[in-house]
Amino acid sequence: TAYLVLDGTGFEAAGTAGVTITVDGVSASVAYAGPQGTFTGLDQANVLLPASLAGKGSVTVQLTASGIAANRVNITIQ
């Protein structure tokens, strides 16, 4: 099991149920989306990465909150 932790702003109001994540076009389960807890105004999303992505290399992550897409982020999965 591997989790990806994303930090950002503006998606706290959507809550966990209102946030979706795709990694290389594959839907990923959002375990938590809300306040980060330490820094005021910083939000955090904890994402369970599908096992099928293991060794995939460079992939694109897309977070959408309340129907609004954030900027895409590229990561490398080993």
Side-chain angles (χ1 to χ4, degrees):
T1 303
Y3 282 88
L4 174 66
V5 178
L6 301 170
D7 290 321
T9 60
F11 55 89
E12 173 186 353
T16 302
V19 172
T20 60
I21 305 275
T22 60
V23 181
D24 205 33
V26 176
S27 292
S29 178
V30 178
Y32 172 77
Q36 184 270 344
T38 301
F39 299 103
T40 302
L42 184 62
D43 301 333
Q44 177 175 314
N46 300 338
V47 183
L48 177 60
L49 295 175
S52 62
L53 294 172
K56 190 79 170 176
S58 181
V59 296
T60 301
V61 177
Q62 178 67 64
L63 180 146
T64 303
S66 297
I68 300 171
N71 292 334
R72 293 183 189 129
V73 176
N74 293 319
I75 63 170
T76 300
I77 299 177
Q78 297 182 341

Short mmCIF file of all heavy atoms in Angstrom, two decimals:
data_model
loop_
_atom_site.label_atom_id
_atom_site.label_comp_id
_atom_site.label_asym_id
_atom_site.label_seq_id
_atom_site.Cartn_x
_atom_site.Cartn_y
_atom_site.Cartn_z
N THR A 1 0.85 -1.18 0.00
CA THR A 1 0.00 0.00 0.00
C THR A 1 0.89 1.24 0.00
O THR A 1 1.80 1.35 0.81
CB THR A 1 -0.90 0.03 1.25
OG1 THR A 1 -1.67 -1.16 1.27
CG2 THR A 1 -1.81 1.22 1.22
N ALA A 2 0.60 2.14 -0.91
CA ALA A 2 1.36 3.38 -0.98
C ALA A 2 0.39 4.55 -1.06
O ALA A 2 -0.62 4.51 -1.78
CB ALA A 2 2.27 3.38 -2.20
N TYR A 3 0.70 5.59 -0.28
CA TYR A 3 -0.11 6.80 -0.28
C TYR A 3 0.68 7.94 -0.88
O TYR A 3 1.90 8.04 -0.70
CB TYR A 3 -0.52 7.18 1.15
CG TYR A 3 -1.66 6.36 1.68
CD1 TYR A 3 -1.43 5.16 2.34
CD2 TYR A 3 -2.98 6.78 1.53
CE1 TYR A 3 -2.48 4.40 2.83
CE2 TYR A 3 -4.03 6.03 2.01
CZ TYR A 3 -3.78 4.85 2.67
OH TYR A 3 -4.82 4.11 3.14
N LEU A 4 -0.02 8.83 -1.55
CA LEU A 4 0.53 10.08 -2.04
C LEU A 4 -0.13 11.18 -1.23
O LEU A 4 -1.36 11.20 -1.09
CB LEU A 4 0.22 10.25 -3.52
CG LEU A 4 0.60 11.58 -4.17
CD1 LEU A 4 2.12 11.75 -4.17
CD2 LEU A 4 0.04 11.66 -5.58
N VAL A 5 0.66 12.08 -0.66
CA VAL A 5 0.12 13.20 0.12
C VAL A 5 0.31 14.46 -0.71
O VAL A 5 1.43 14.80 -1.09
CB VAL A 5 0.83 13.32 1.49
CG1 VAL A 5 0.30 14.52 2.25
CG2 VAL A 5 0.65 12.05 2.30
N LEU A 6 -0.80 15.14 -0.99
CA LEU A 6 -0.77 16.37 -1.76
C LEU A 6 -1.16 17.53 -0.85
O LEU A 6 -2.13 17.44 -0.10
CB LEU A 6 -1.76 16.29 -2.92
CG LEU A 6 -1.54 15.17 -3.93
CD1 LEU A 6 -2.72 15.07 -4.87
CD2 LEU A 6 -0.26 15.42 -4.70
N ASP A 7 -0.40 18.61 -0.91
CA ASP A 7 -0.71 19.83 -0.17
C ASP A 7 -1.11 20.91 -1.17
O ASP A 7 -0.59 20.96 -2.28
CB ASP A 7 0.50 20.31 0.63
CG ASP A 7 0.83 19.40 1.79
OD1 ASP A 7 -0.10 18.90 2.44
OD2 ASP A 7 2.03 19.19 2.07
N GLY A 8 -2.02 21.75 -0.76
CA GLY A 8 -2.46 22.85 -1.61
C GLY A 8 -3.43 23.73 -0.85
O GLY A 8 -3.55 23.65 0.37
N THR A 9 -4.12 24.57 -1.58
CA THR A 9 -5.12 25.44 -0.97
C THR A 9 -6.39 25.40 -1.80
O THR A 9 -6.36 25.10 -2.99
CB THR A 9 -4.63 26.90 -0.89
OG1 THR A 9 -4.34 27.37 -2.21
CG2 THR A 9 -3.39 27.03 -0.02
N GLY A 10 -7.51 25.68 -1.13
CA GLY A 10 -8.76 25.83 -1.85
C GLY A 10 -9.61 24.59 -1.99
O GLY A 10 -10.68 24.66 -2.58
N PHE A 11 -9.18 23.44 -1.48
CA PHE A 11 -10.03 22.26 -1.62
C PHE A 11 -10.60 21.76 -0.30
O PHE A 11 -11.34 20.78 -0.26
CB PHE A 11 -9.34 21.14 -2.39
CG PHE A 11 -8.01 20.67 -1.88
CD1 PHE A 11 -7.94 19.66 -0.94
CD2 PHE A 11 -6.84 21.22 -2.38
CE1 PHE A 11 -6.72 19.21 -0.48
CE2 PHE A 11 -5.62 20.76 -1.93
CZ PHE A 11 -5.55 19.76 -0.98
N GLU A 12 -10.31 22.46 0.80
CA GLU A 12 -10.88 22.08 2.10
C GLU A 12 -12.40 22.08 2.05
O GLU A 12 -13.05 21.16 2.57
CB GLU A 12 -10.40 23.03 3.19
CG GLU A 12 -11.08 22.80 4.53
CD GLU A 12 -10.72 23.84 5.57
OE1 GLU A 12 -9.84 24.69 5.33
OE2 GLU A 12 -11.34 23.79 6.63
N ALA A 13 -12.99 23.08 1.43
CA ALA A 13 -14.45 23.20 1.40
C ALA A 13 -15.11 22.03 0.68
O ALA A 13 -16.24 21.67 0.98
CB ALA A 13 -14.85 24.51 0.73
N ALA A 14 -14.42 21.41 -0.26
CA ALA A 14 -14.99 20.27 -1.00
C ALA A 14 -15.07 19.04 -0.12
O ALA A 14 -15.94 18.19 -0.30
CB ALA A 14 -14.15 19.99 -2.24
N GLY A 15 -14.15 18.94 0.83
CA GLY A 15 -14.12 17.76 1.70
C GLY A 15 -13.72 16.51 0.95
O GLY A 15 -13.56 16.51 -0.27
N THR A 16 -13.57 15.43 1.67
CA THR A 16 -13.12 14.18 1.07
C THR A 16 -14.06 13.71 -0.03
O THR A 16 -13.62 13.28 -1.09
CB THR A 16 -12.98 13.08 2.16
OG1 THR A 16 -12.05 13.55 3.15
CG2 THR A 16 -12.49 11.78 1.58
N ALA A 17 -15.36 13.83 0.19
CA ALA A 17 -16.34 13.37 -0.80
C ALA A 17 -16.35 14.20 -2.08
O ALA A 17 -16.73 13.71 -3.14
CB ALA A 17 -17.74 13.36 -0.18
N GLY A 18 -15.88 15.45 -2.00
CA GLY A 18 -15.90 16.33 -3.16
C GLY A 18 -14.60 16.42 -3.92
O GLY A 18 -14.49 17.20 -4.86
N VAL A 19 -13.61 15.61 -3.53
CA VAL A 19 -12.30 15.63 -4.19
C VAL A 19 -12.10 14.31 -4.93
O VAL A 19 -12.32 13.24 -4.38
CB VAL A 19 -11.17 15.85 -3.17
CG1 VAL A 19 -9.80 15.69 -3.82
CG2 VAL A 19 -11.28 17.24 -2.54
N THR A 20 -11.70 14.42 -6.19
CA THR A 20 -11.33 13.23 -6.96
C THR A 20 -9.89 13.39 -7.44
O THR A 20 -9.42 14.51 -7.67
CB THR A 20 -12.25 13.01 -8.17
OG1 THR A 20 -12.17 14.14 -9.03
CG2 THR A 20 -13.69 12.79 -7.73
N ILE A 21 -9.23 12.26 -7.60
CA ILE A 21 -7.84 12.25 -8.05
C ILE A 21 -7.70 11.20 -9.14
O ILE A 21 -8.20 10.08 -9.01
CB ILE A 21 -6.87 11.87 -6.91
CG1 ILE A 21 -7.04 12.77 -5.70
CG2 ILE A 21 -5.43 11.84 -7.40
CD1 ILE A 21 -6.30 14.06 -5.72
N THR A 22 -7.02 11.56 -10.21
CA THR A 22 -6.60 10.56 -11.19
C THR A 22 -5.08 10.60 -11.28
O THR A 22 -4.46 11.66 -11.18
CB THR A 22 -7.21 10.78 -12.58
OG1 THR A 22 -6.81 12.06 -13.07
CG2 THR A 22 -8.73 10.69 -12.56
N VAL A 23 -4.50 9.43 -11.44
CA VAL A 23 -3.06 9.30 -11.61
C VAL A 23 -2.85 8.54 -12.91
O VAL A 23 -3.26 7.38 -13.03
CB VAL A 23 -2.41 8.54 -10.43
CG1 VAL A 23 -0.91 8.44 -10.61
CG2 VAL A 23 -2.75 9.21 -9.10
N ASP A 24 -2.28 9.22 -13.89
CA ASP A 24 -2.09 8.64 -15.22
C ASP A 24 -3.43 8.17 -15.79
O ASP A 24 -3.51 7.13 -16.43
CB ASP A 24 -1.07 7.51 -15.17
CG ASP A 24 -0.39 7.28 -16.52
OD1 ASP A 24 -0.18 8.27 -17.25
OD2 ASP A 24 -0.06 6.12 -16.82
N GLY A 25 -4.49 8.91 -15.48
CA GLY A 25 -5.82 8.58 -15.98
C GLY A 25 -6.57 7.54 -15.18
O GLY A 25 -7.72 7.24 -15.47
N VAL A 26 -5.93 6.98 -14.15
CA VAL A 26 -6.54 5.95 -13.31
C VAL A 26 -7.10 6.61 -12.05
O VAL A 26 -6.39 7.34 -11.38
CB VAL A 26 -5.50 4.87 -12.92
CG1 VAL A 26 -6.09 3.85 -11.97
CG2 VAL A 26 -4.93 4.20 -14.16
N SER A 27 -8.36 6.34 -11.73
CA SER A 27 -8.95 6.89 -10.51
C SER A 27 -8.26 6.33 -9.29
O SER A 27 -7.99 5.14 -9.21
CB SER A 27 -10.44 6.55 -10.44
OG SER A 27 -11.14 7.25 -11.44
N ALA A 28 -7.97 7.21 -8.34
CA ALA A 28 -7.33 6.82 -7.08
C ALA A 28 -8.28 7.16 -5.94
O ALA A 28 -9.03 8.13 -6.01
CB ALA A 28 -5.99 7.53 -6.91
N SER A 29 -8.23 6.38 -4.88
CA SER A 29 -9.11 6.57 -3.73
C SER A 29 -8.58 7.70 -2.84
O SER A 29 -7.42 7.68 -2.43
CB SER A 29 -9.19 5.27 -2.94
OG SER A 29 -9.98 5.44 -1.80
N VAL A 30 -9.44 8.67 -2.55
CA VAL A 30 -9.07 9.78 -1.66
C VAL A 30 -9.46 9.38 -0.24
O VAL A 30 -10.64 9.26 0.08
CB VAL A 30 -9.77 11.09 -2.07
CG1 VAL A 30 -9.40 12.21 -1.12
CG2 VAL A 30 -9.42 11.45 -3.51
N ALA A 31 -8.46 9.14 0.60
CA ALA A 31 -8.70 8.74 1.99
C ALA A 31 -9.07 9.94 2.86
O ALA A 31 -9.82 9.81 3.82
CB ALA A 31 -7.48 8.03 2.56
N TYR A 32 -8.54 11.10 2.51
CA TYR A 32 -8.79 12.32 3.29
C TYR A 32 -8.51 13.54 2.43
O TYR A 32 -7.53 13.56 1.67
CB TYR A 32 -7.88 12.38 4.54
CG TYR A 32 -7.96 13.69 5.28
CD1 TYR A 32 -9.04 13.98 6.10
CD2 TYR A 32 -6.98 14.66 5.13
CE1 TYR A 32 -9.13 15.20 6.78
CE2 TYR A 32 -7.05 15.88 5.79
CZ TYR A 32 -8.13 16.14 6.61
OH TYR A 32 -8.23 17.34 7.26
N ALA A 33 -9.35 14.53 2.54
CA ALA A 33 -9.10 15.84 1.93
C ALA A 33 -9.69 16.88 2.87
O ALA A 33 -10.88 16.87 3.15
CB ALA A 33 -9.72 15.94 0.55
N GLY A 34 -8.83 17.74 3.40
CA GLY A 34 -9.28 18.77 4.33
C GLY A 34 -8.11 19.55 4.85
O GLY A 34 -7.03 19.56 4.25
N PRO A 35 -8.29 20.21 5.99
CA PRO A 35 -7.22 21.02 6.56
C PRO A 35 -5.98 20.18 6.85
O PRO A 35 -6.09 19.04 7.31
CB PRO A 35 -7.82 21.56 7.86
CG PRO A 35 -9.28 21.38 7.75
CD PRO A 35 -9.50 20.24 6.82
N GLN A 36 -4.83 20.77 6.62
CA GLN A 36 -3.56 20.07 6.86
C GLN A 36 -3.31 19.88 8.35
O GLN A 36 -2.73 18.89 8.75
CB GLN A 36 -2.42 20.84 6.17
CG GLN A 36 -1.06 20.21 6.25
CD GLN A 36 -0.27 20.65 7.48
OE1 GLN A 36 -0.60 21.62 8.13
NE2 GLN A 36 0.77 19.91 7.79
N GLY A 37 -3.75 20.81 9.16
CA GLY A 37 -3.68 20.61 10.61
C GLY A 37 -2.60 21.38 11.33
O GLY A 37 -2.75 21.68 12.51
N THR A 38 -1.52 21.71 10.67
CA THR A 38 -0.43 22.44 11.32
C THR A 38 -0.36 23.88 10.83
O THR A 38 -0.17 24.80 11.63
CB THR A 38 0.92 21.76 11.07
OG1 THR A 38 0.86 20.42 11.57
CG2 THR A 38 2.05 22.48 11.76
N PHE A 39 -0.55 24.08 9.54
CA PHE A 39 -0.40 25.41 8.95
C PHE A 39 -1.76 25.93 8.51
O PHE A 39 -2.45 25.31 7.69
CB PHE A 39 0.57 25.37 7.76
CG PHE A 39 1.94 24.93 8.14
CD1 PHE A 39 2.39 23.65 7.86
CD2 PHE A 39 2.80 25.79 8.81
CE1 PHE A 39 3.66 23.23 8.22
CE2 PHE A 39 4.08 25.39 9.18
CZ PHE A 39 4.51 24.10 8.88
N THR A 40 -2.16 27.07 9.04
CA THR A 40 -3.44 27.69 8.71
C THR A 40 -3.53 27.95 7.21
O THR A 40 -2.60 28.49 6.61
CB THR A 40 -3.60 29.01 9.48
OG1 THR A 40 -3.50 28.75 10.87
CG2 THR A 40 -4.94 29.66 9.17
N GLY A 41 -4.65 27.54 6.60
CA GLY A 41 -4.87 27.80 5.19
C GLY A 41 -4.31 26.74 4.26
O GLY A 41 -4.56 26.79 3.06
N LEU A 42 -3.57 25.77 4.79
CA LEU A 42 -2.99 24.72 3.95
C LEU A 42 -3.89 23.49 4.02
O LEU A 42 -4.28 23.04 5.10
CB LEU A 42 -1.58 24.36 4.43
CG LEU A 42 -0.82 23.35 3.57
CD1 LEU A 42 -0.60 23.88 2.15
CD2 LEU A 42 0.52 23.01 4.21
N ASP A 43 -4.25 22.97 2.86
CA ASP A 43 -5.08 21.78 2.77
C ASP A 43 -4.22 20.58 2.39
O ASP A 43 -3.15 20.73 1.81
CB ASP A 43 -6.18 21.97 1.72
CG ASP A 43 -7.08 23.15 2.03
OD1 ASP A 43 -7.21 23.50 3.21
OD2 ASP A 43 -7.64 23.72 1.08
N GLN A 44 -4.73 19.39 2.70
CA GLN A 44 -3.99 18.16 2.44
C GLN A 44 -4.95 17.12 1.87
O GLN A 44 -6.09 17.00 2.33
CB GLN A 44 -3.37 17.64 3.73
CG GLN A 44 -2.64 16.32 3.59
CD GLN A 44 -1.94 15.92 4.88
OE1 GLN A 44 -1.29 16.75 5.49
NE2 GLN A 44 -2.09 14.68 5.27
N ALA A 45 -4.48 16.35 0.89
CA ALA A 45 -5.23 15.22 0.37
C ALA A 45 -4.33 13.98 0.48
O ALA A 45 -3.18 14.01 0.02
CB ALA A 45 -5.64 15.45 -1.07
N ASN A 46 -4.86 12.93 1.10
CA ASN A 46 -4.15 11.66 1.21
C ASN A 46 -4.79 10.71 0.20
O ASN A 46 -5.98 10.44 0.26
CB ASN A 46 -4.26 11.08 2.61
CG ASN A 46 -3.68 12.00 3.66
OD1 ASN A 46 -2.86 12.86 3.37
ND2 ASN A 46 -4.13 11.85 4.88
N VAL A 47 -3.97 10.21 -0.72
CA VAL A 47 -4.47 9.43 -1.85
C VAL A 47 -3.85 8.04 -1.83
O VAL A 47 -2.62 7.90 -1.79
CB VAL A 47 -4.11 10.14 -3.18
CG1 VAL A 47 -4.69 9.40 -4.36
CG2 VAL A 47 -4.56 11.58 -3.16
N LEU A 48 -4.69 7.01 -1.87
CA LEU A 48 -4.22 5.63 -1.96
C LEU A 48 -3.92 5.34 -3.43
O LEU A 48 -4.82 5.41 -4.28
CB LEU A 48 -5.28 4.67 -1.43
CG LEU A 48 -4.96 3.19 -1.53
CD1 LEU A 48 -3.69 2.84 -0.75
CD2 LEU A 48 -6.13 2.36 -1.03
N LEU A 49 -2.66 5.04 -3.72
CA LEU A 49 -2.28 4.77 -5.11
C LEU A 49 -2.62 3.34 -5.49
O LEU A 49 -2.30 2.40 -4.75
CB LEU A 49 -0.78 5.02 -5.29
CG LEU A 49 -0.31 6.45 -5.11
CD1 LEU A 49 1.21 6.53 -5.20
CD2 LEU A 49 -0.95 7.36 -6.15
N PRO A 50 -3.26 3.14 -6.63
CA PRO A 50 -3.55 1.79 -7.09
C PRO A 50 -2.26 0.99 -7.32
O PRO A 50 -1.28 1.53 -7.84
CB PRO A 50 -4.29 2.00 -8.41
CG PRO A 50 -4.79 3.40 -8.37
CD PRO A 50 -3.79 4.16 -7.53
N ALA A 51 -2.27 -0.27 -6.94
CA ALA A 51 -1.09 -1.14 -7.11
C ALA A 51 -0.68 -1.25 -8.58
O ALA A 51 0.50 -1.46 -8.88
CB ALA A 51 -1.37 -2.51 -6.53
N SER A 52 -1.63 -1.06 -9.48
CA SER A 52 -1.34 -1.17 -10.91
C SER A 52 -0.36 -0.10 -11.40
O SER A 52 0.21 -0.22 -12.49
CB SER A 52 -2.63 -1.08 -11.73
OG SER A 52 -3.26 0.18 -11.54
N LEU A 53 -0.14 0.93 -10.59
CA LEU A 53 0.78 2.02 -10.98
C LEU A 53 2.23 1.74 -10.58
O LEU A 53 3.12 2.51 -10.96
CB LEU A 53 0.31 3.34 -10.37
CG LEU A 53 -1.03 3.87 -10.89
CD1 LEU A 53 -1.47 5.08 -10.08
CD2 LEU A 53 -0.94 4.21 -12.36
N ALA A 54 2.48 0.67 -9.86
CA ALA A 54 3.85 0.35 -9.42
C ALA A 54 4.78 0.26 -10.63
O ALA A 54 4.46 -0.40 -11.62
CB ALA A 54 3.87 -0.95 -8.64
N GLY A 55 5.91 0.97 -10.55
CA GLY A 55 6.91 0.95 -11.61
C GLY A 55 6.53 1.72 -12.86
O GLY A 55 7.21 1.65 -13.87
N LYS A 56 5.47 2.49 -12.80
CA LYS A 56 4.94 3.19 -13.98
C LYS A 56 5.88 4.29 -14.49
O LYS A 56 5.83 4.65 -15.65
CB LYS A 56 3.57 3.77 -13.63
CG LYS A 56 2.81 4.31 -14.78
CD LYS A 56 2.16 3.19 -15.56
CE LYS A 56 1.21 3.79 -16.56
NZ LYS A 56 0.61 2.81 -17.43
N GLY A 57 6.72 4.84 -13.62
CA GLY A 57 7.60 5.93 -14.03
C GLY A 57 6.90 7.27 -13.93
O GLY A 57 6.13 7.51 -13.01
N SER A 58 7.11 8.13 -14.91
CA SER A 58 6.55 9.48 -14.89
C SER A 58 5.05 9.43 -15.20
O SER A 58 4.64 8.88 -16.22
CB SER A 58 7.26 10.37 -15.90
OG SER A 58 6.73 11.67 -15.87
N VAL A 59 4.25 10.01 -14.30
CA VAL A 59 2.79 10.03 -14.46
C VAL A 59 2.27 11.43 -14.12
O VAL A 59 2.94 12.21 -13.47
CB VAL A 59 2.09 8.98 -13.56
CG1 VAL A 59 2.49 7.57 -13.95
CG2 VAL A 59 2.37 9.23 -12.09
N THR A 60 1.05 11.70 -14.55
CA THR A 60 0.40 12.97 -14.27
C THR A 60 -0.68 12.77 -13.24
O THR A 60 -1.49 11.84 -13.34
CB THR A 60 -0.21 13.56 -15.56
OG1 THR A 60 0.84 13.74 -16.52
CG2 THR A 60 -0.89 14.89 -15.30
N VAL A 61 -0.70 13.64 -12.24
CA VAL A 61 -1.71 13.61 -11.18
C VAL A 61 -2.65 14.78 -11.39
O VAL A 61 -2.21 15.92 -11.58
CB VAL A 61 -1.05 13.72 -9.78
CG1 VAL A 61 -2.09 13.75 -8.69
CG2 VAL A 61 -0.05 12.59 -9.57
N GLN A 62 -3.96 14.50 -11.37
CA GLN A 62 -4.98 15.54 -11.52
C GLN A 62 -5.92 15.50 -10.34
O GLN A 62 -6.57 14.50 -10.10
CB GLN A 62 -5.77 15.32 -12.81
CG GLN A 62 -6.88 16.33 -13.02
CD GLN A 62 -6.37 17.73 -13.27
OE1 GLN A 62 -5.70 17.97 -14.26
NE2 GLN A 62 -6.66 18.65 -12.37
N LEU A 63 -5.97 16.59 -9.58
CA LEU A 63 -6.90 16.74 -8.47
C LEU A 63 -8.04 17.63 -8.93
O LEU A 63 -7.81 18.67 -9.55
CB LEU A 63 -6.20 17.37 -7.26
CG LEU A 63 -7.05 17.59 -6.00
CD1 LEU A 63 -6.18 17.39 -4.77
CD2 LEU A 63 -7.70 18.95 -5.97
N THR A 64 -9.27 17.20 -8.63
CA THR A 64 -10.45 18.01 -8.93
C THR A 64 -11.26 18.14 -7.64
O THR A 64 -11.53 17.15 -6.97
CB THR A 64 -11.30 17.34 -10.03
OG1 THR A 64 -10.50 17.16 -11.20
CG2 THR A 64 -12.51 18.19 -10.39
N ALA A 65 -11.61 19.37 -7.29
CA ALA A 65 -12.39 19.64 -6.07
C ALA A 65 -13.65 20.39 -6.45
O ALA A 65 -13.58 21.44 -7.10
CB ALA A 65 -11.56 20.45 -5.08
N SER A 66 -14.79 19.83 -6.07
CA SER A 66 -16.09 20.44 -6.40
C SER A 66 -16.20 20.76 -7.88
O SER A 66 -16.72 21.80 -8.28
CB SER A 66 -16.33 21.70 -5.55
OG SER A 66 -16.39 21.37 -4.19
N GLY A 67 -15.67 19.87 -8.72
CA GLY A 67 -15.76 20.04 -10.16
C GLY A 67 -14.73 20.97 -10.78
O GLY A 67 -14.72 21.17 -11.98
N ILE A 68 -13.86 21.55 -9.95
CA ILE A 68 -12.85 22.48 -10.46
C ILE A 68 -11.48 21.78 -10.44
O ILE A 68 -11.01 21.34 -9.40
CB ILE A 68 -12.80 23.76 -9.62
CG1 ILE A 68 -14.17 24.45 -9.66
CG2 ILE A 68 -11.69 24.69 -10.11
CD1 ILE A 68 -14.31 25.61 -8.72
N ALA A 69 -10.86 21.70 -11.61
CA ALA A 69 -9.56 21.02 -11.73
C ALA A 69 -8.42 21.93 -11.29
O ALA A 69 -8.38 23.10 -11.66
CB ALA A 69 -9.35 20.58 -13.18
N ALA A 70 -7.52 21.36 -10.50
CA ALA A 70 -6.30 22.06 -10.11
C ALA A 70 -5.26 21.88 -11.21
O ALA A 70 -5.46 21.11 -12.16
CB ALA A 70 -5.78 21.49 -8.79
N ASN A 71 -4.16 22.57 -11.08
CA ASN A 71 -3.06 22.37 -12.02
C ASN A 71 -2.57 20.93 -11.91
O ASN A 71 -2.49 20.38 -10.82
CB ASN A 71 -1.90 23.32 -11.72
CG ASN A 71 -2.25 24.77 -11.99
OD1 ASN A 71 -3.12 25.06 -12.80
ND2 ASN A 71 -1.59 25.68 -11.30
N ARG A 72 -2.22 20.34 -13.03
CA ARG A 72 -1.69 18.98 -13.04
C ARG A 72 -0.27 18.98 -12.47
O ARG A 72 0.46 19.95 -12.59
CB ARG A 72 -1.67 18.44 -14.45
CG ARG A 72 -3.04 18.23 -15.01
CD ARG A 72 -2.98 17.62 -16.40
NE ARG A 72 -4.30 17.64 -16.96
CZ ARG A 72 -4.59 18.12 -18.15
NH1 ARG A 72 -3.64 18.59 -18.94
NH2 ARG A 72 -5.82 18.11 -18.57
N VAL A 73 0.07 17.84 -11.86
CA VAL A 73 1.40 17.66 -11.29
C VAL A 73 1.98 16.38 -11.84
O VAL A 73 1.28 15.38 -11.97
CB VAL A 73 1.31 17.55 -9.74
CG1 VAL A 73 2.66 17.27 -9.13
CG2 VAL A 73 0.70 18.81 -9.15
N ASN A 74 3.25 16.41 -12.19
CA ASN A 74 3.93 15.19 -12.65
C ASN A 74 4.77 14.63 -11.53
O ASN A 74 5.48 15.37 -10.85
CB ASN A 74 4.81 15.49 -13.87
CG ASN A 74 4.00 15.87 -15.07
OD1 ASN A 74 2.97 15.27 -15.33
ND2 ASN A 74 4.43 16.87 -15.79
N ILE A 75 4.67 13.31 -11.32
CA ILE A 75 5.48 12.62 -10.32
C ILE A 75 6.07 11.37 -10.97
O ILE A 75 5.64 10.96 -12.04
CB ILE A 75 4.66 12.22 -9.07
CG1 ILE A 75 3.55 11.23 -9.43
CG2 ILE A 75 4.08 13.46 -8.39
CD1 ILE A 75 2.87 10.60 -8.24
N THR A 76 7.05 10.79 -10.31
CA THR A 76 7.63 9.53 -10.78
C THR A 76 7.34 8.45 -9.77
O THR A 76 7.60 8.60 -8.58
CB THR A 76 9.16 9.68 -10.95
OG1 THR A 76 9.41 10.72 -11.91
CG2 THR A 76 9.77 8.39 -11.45
N ILE A 77 6.77 7.34 -10.26
CA ILE A 77 6.45 6.20 -9.39
C ILE A 77 7.41 5.08 -9.73
O ILE A 77 7.51 4.66 -10.88
CB ILE A 77 5.00 5.75 -9.61
CG1 ILE A 77 4.03 6.89 -9.26
CG2 ILE A 77 4.70 4.50 -8.78
CD1 ILE A 77 2.58 6.56 -9.52
N GLN A 78 8.12 4.60 -8.71
CA GLN A 78 9.09 3.53 -8.94
C GLN A 78 8.47 2.19 -8.68
O GLN A 78 7.50 2.03 -8.00
CB GLN A 78 10.29 3.72 -8.03
CG GLN A 78 11.02 5.00 -8.35
CD GLN A 78 12.25 5.20 -7.50
OE1 GLN A 78 12.40 4.58 -6.45
NE2 GLN A 78 13.14 6.04 -7.94
#
